[in-house]
Amino acid sequence: MVIGTPKKKVAPQFGIHLQPSGAILYETNTLNYFRLSGVGAELAMLMAQLQDMEKTAYVWSHMNGLEEGMTVEELRDMFADHPLTALWEKGILPSSIRITGSSQAYLPIRSTLQFTNSCNLSCPFCYASSGRPYEKELTTEEWILVMEKLAANGVFDITITGGEARLVKGFHRLLATASCLFINVHLFSNGLGWTGDDIAFVKQFNNVRCQVSVDGYEETHDKMRGKKGAYKETMSNARKIAEAGIPLIIAMTVSPINYLDVEKVAEEACAVGARVFRAGITLPVGRAGDGIFFLSKEQRERVKEQIDRAIKKWGNRIVIPDWREEDSNEHHKGGEADFCTPGYLNWYVRADGMVTPCQVEEASMGHILKDSILEIGAEERLLEVRAKSKSCYCIHRVELPEPDQPFRKLF
């Protein structure tokens, strides 16, 4: 799913991200990705360079020492299941493929950056237990170094969060830097305290999307946020963000307190001009770690019914993802969502610089500025964090293929 896709058709933009166990072929507009063998990665790079099947067959034959050579038909048969084959057959060839990553370590292509743990709220279900800043949070200059480091090593998609990210010192400079360094920037906010200048500033960047949290209809939202009038202010600012042309997502964290409000919040999201309404469960970490925010089976069924009705009513005006099993409590005890490979493709960088596989896991892989990126992504370090992980269940579900061919012979 692409948020804020331009009306004109966007040509696919591909990248290959090297890993010790193979490679990832990804498309930057859709975030779809495929795991490739070394052979498959070499073929993709050759096709992008040569722009011709016959030339590719010729070069492939010579680089692999095939005496009789390989025909185009044999090449097609050999790579019939390659994710780019259908495009090649239609004459659609990527003009270039961005090469990133490393065969020595698992480096991310997505990252979540917690600019600060400071927040203007203290919600009882906050996974980060936000409110007060950490004792030693990264400075503006340090965050810029972090973003440069990540971008130079293959990260193209980032999420900016907190606390409330806009409260960090130097926020405007940091957002501008992020927009310049990364292809996709997702800004998360509780929607409080936005000024006209804030909205006008974000509007300047065509690759920044904004996700605003709304956790129930007016009375419920205010109760959960602990602030009277929070709902009206948040929805008013959400409307202004959408009217400014900034792609807007309304996200609801569902719990036993607000699960009956899902359909109404979806309606309100549609009314203010959001492009997406997304409902997810409350993660059992941080201040929600005592489990009182878990949904029962019956409550999940009620949520699914509301989502189904919302899709029928407003699905032609707003994207509303189905409430699937990956959104259930069982998923977070063993499932793996699409594009969710924490540690191996996705890093969470805390406000104090510590790197973890995702926002719900405390086990550290290292410090983003004190350790080299190859040290943080080293296979042995990931395996150690994987063994220690208590909250990030997805990391245990990542299955990696055995390395088959070294990429070094291409370079």
Side-chain angles (χ1 to χ4, degrees), residues 113 170 183 219 321 385:
L113 310 182
I183 296 175
E219 182 179 350
V385 168

Side-chain angles (χ1 to χ4, degrees), residues 12 14 82-94:
F14 293 98
H82 195 290
L84 287 181
T85 300
L87 292 177
W88 297 337
E89 294 294 335
K90 296 177 183 178
I92 303 174
L93 298 175

Side-chain angles (χ1 to χ4, degrees), residues 367-384:
H367 191 282
I368 190 64
L369 293 178
K370 296 177 182 178
D371 299 320
S372 76
I373 202 160
L374 293 180
E375 290 174 330
I376 298 172
E379 185 169 9
E380 58 270 19
R381 190 168 295 193
L382 269 172
L383 292 175
E384 180 181 348

Side-chain angles (χ1 to χ4, degrees), residues 2 62 95 165 186 192 233 253 256 337 356 358-359 361 367 371 406:
V2 181
H62 281 70
S95 58
H186 313 270
L192 297 176
E233 181 181 349
T253 301
T356 67
C358 71
Q359 64 267 35
E361 182 54 53
H367 191 282
D371 299 320

Side-chain angles (χ1 to χ4, degrees), residues 64-282:
N64 288 286
L66 303 180
E67 294 183 2
E68 297 183 1
M70 176 181 285
T71 66
V72 171
E73 289 70 26
E74 289 172 330
L75 185 63
R76 286 196 179 109
D77 291 341
M78 182 178 178
F79 295 103
D81 295 329
H82 195 290
L84 287 181
T85 300
L87 292 177
W88 297 337
E89 294 294 335
K90 296 177 183 178
I92 303 174
L93 298 175
S95 58
S96 63
I97 293 184
R98 182 183 183 217
I99 310 299
T100 58
S102 171
S103 59
Q104 302 174 55
Y106 289 96
L107 306 184
I109 54 179
R110 298 184 71 187
S111 287
T112 297
L113 310 182
Q114 185 198 28
F115 276 175
T116 180
N117 198 55
S118 179
C119 190
N120 45 14
L121 293 171
S122 185
C123 302
F125 54 92
C126 180
Y127 72 86
S129 299
S130 296
R132 295 182 178 181
Y134 295 139
E135 184 177 350
K136 293 184 179 180
E137 293 196 344
L138 300 184
T139 66
T140 301
E141 294 302 325
E142 287 174 328
W143 271 119
I144 290 175
L145 290 175
V146 169
M147 289 190 284
E148 290 174 346
K149 185 174 186 177
L150 293 173
N153 285 278
V155 172
F156 67 88
D157 185 277
I158 67 161
T159 295
I160 296 172
T161 186
E164 176 64 20
R166 295 181 308 102
L167 299 181
V168 72
K169 184 178 180 180
F171 171 74
H172 284 179
R173 185 180 176 199
L174 291 176
L175 183 65
T177 301
S179 176
C180 293
L181 290 176
F182 304 103
I183 296 175
N184 304 313
V185 179
H186 313 270
L187 174 61
F188 285 14
S189 173
N190 57 33
L192 297 176
W194 282 70
T195 67
D197 286 341
D198 289 332
I199 295 173
F201 185 82
V202 175
K203 179 182 178 180
Q204 307 308 310
F205 307 104
N206 60 11
N207 62 341
V208 176
R209 296 126 188 197
C210 188
Q211 176 171 305
V212 173
S213 300
V214 179
D215 293 313
Y217 195 48
E218 186 169 354
E219 182 179 350
T220 306
H221 180 87
D222 288 0
K223 178 181 178 181
M224 295 185 71
R225 295 295 186 182
K227 179 179 173 63
K228 187 174 179 59
Y231 179 85
K232 287 183 178 179
E233 181 181 349
T234 293
M235 294 306 286
S236 174
N237 287 331
R239 182 185 295 275
K240 293 174 184 176
I241 290 170
E243 289 176 347
I246 301 167
L248 172 67
I249 305 164
I250 295 293
M252 181 176 179
T253 301
V254 185
S255 72
I257 300 173
N258 64 3
Y259 75 100
L260 294 176
D261 289 358
V262 170
E263 186 175 356
K264 183 61 178 177
V265 176
E267 180 182 13
E268 292 289 291
C270 186
V272 300
R275 300 190 184 186
V276 177
F277 168 72
R278 178 181 297 136
I281 68 166
T282 304

